[in-house]
Amino acid sequence: MKKFLCAANWKMNKGPTETAEYLTKFLSLLPKSSQSQVAFFAPGYNLPAMQKALQGSSIFWGAQNCYFERSGAYTGELSPLVLQQLGATHCLVGHSERRQLFYETDEDVSKKVSLLQELHMVPMICVGETLEQRNQGKTHQVVLNQITQSLSRAVPEASFVLAYEPIWAIGTGQVATAQQAEEVHQWIRQHLVERIGPEAAKNTYVLYGGSVKPENSSELYNCPNIDGFLVGGASLEVESFLSLAETNLAFAKSH
Ligand code: PGA
């Protein structure tokens, strides 16, 4: 089986009680033979409930955003240091909703990436083009810029995850075709080879996100350079997210 990481981005959905109920159900239904790696990204107020429910499991979890300082006068922000103390393993960074709605820049993203890495957490860096940029043939240029700038302060040899999420495919039901996704993923992998060397590039997870659902997951899973999914809408129900998290098992059984 190829390496596979399935991440849930709940966005601004669910509260602590629902978090506990969802995760209890998810853990009880997760097959013992599961070899998937799973991560949950929840709103900040759910993280203690998440920590409690996932304690002792091998499931990763974290916030959907953080600030790039450990503490201080930053009203409304989340401290990466406290996230780490709570037990978070990962943090989403630079999601397109943060970039578009909250004006987060590549500079901000790069500072968050380096602080998370200093604190031994794994940043999951989201990149992706708008429909307009794609139609203008700028996809590679936009994605390359985002990757280069996001990693400009990265701690050497510290790990990171990339999530390629074409903005036109997020929450729209319009998934990129496997061919469109693989084309960008292959190109990202090549860039990583040049940047961090073949071995590290091979070990770096590059996820696809944007309207991933159980109905389109096997086609995407089949792509050699797609190492997993970042799932919004379809992660809100236990059954659909579980089926996505087990895509590798389903695939192994059918081949
Ligand atoms: P979606 O969201 O699966 O609802 O398209 C993905 C994301 O925003 O990470």
Side-chain angles (χ1 to χ4, degrees), residues 9 11 95 97 165 169-171 210-212 230-233:
N9 174 12
K11 309 195 177 182
H95 188 279
E97 285 152 19
E165 299 203 300
I170 295 180
S211 297
V212 177
L230 178 55
V231 188

Side-chain angles (χ1 to χ4, degrees), residues 51-103:
Q51 188 278 334
K52 197 164 164 226
L54 295 177
Q55 210 164 23
S57 79
S58 57
I59 293 179
F60 304 127
W61 58 274
Q64 300 166 356
N65 178 39
C66 66
Y67 197 55
F68 49 74
E69 296 289 345
R70 290 166 200 241
S71 64
Y74 306 107
T75 303
E77 294 292 330
L78 287 183
S79 156
L81 177 63
V82 178
L83 292 174
Q84 183 231 47
Q85 289 165 347
L86 277 173
T89 54
H90 288 60
C91 190
L92 275 187
V93 191
H95 188 279
S96 63
E97 285 152 19
R98 302 257 5 130
R99 293 177 189 263
Q100 292 195 317
L101 303 173
F102 304 103
Y103 310 107

Side-chain angles (χ1 to χ4, degrees), residues 144 147-148 151 186-202:
L144 177 65
I147 296 177
T148 309
L151 291 174
Q186 190 181 12
W187 178 83
I188 291 176
R189 185 85 55 198
Q190 191 47 45
H191 170 71
L192 289 177
V193 168
E194 286 158 26
R195 186 180 184 95
I196 54 177
E199 194 55 28
K202 192 169 127 236

Side-chain angles (χ1 to χ4, degrees), residues 4 6 26 30 34 36 38 240-248:
F4 181 69
C6 194
F26 184 85
L30 190 71
S34 175
S36 315
V38 177
S240 57
F241 186 62
L242 190 67
S243 127
L244 290 171
E246 290 303 298
T247 308
N248 53 353

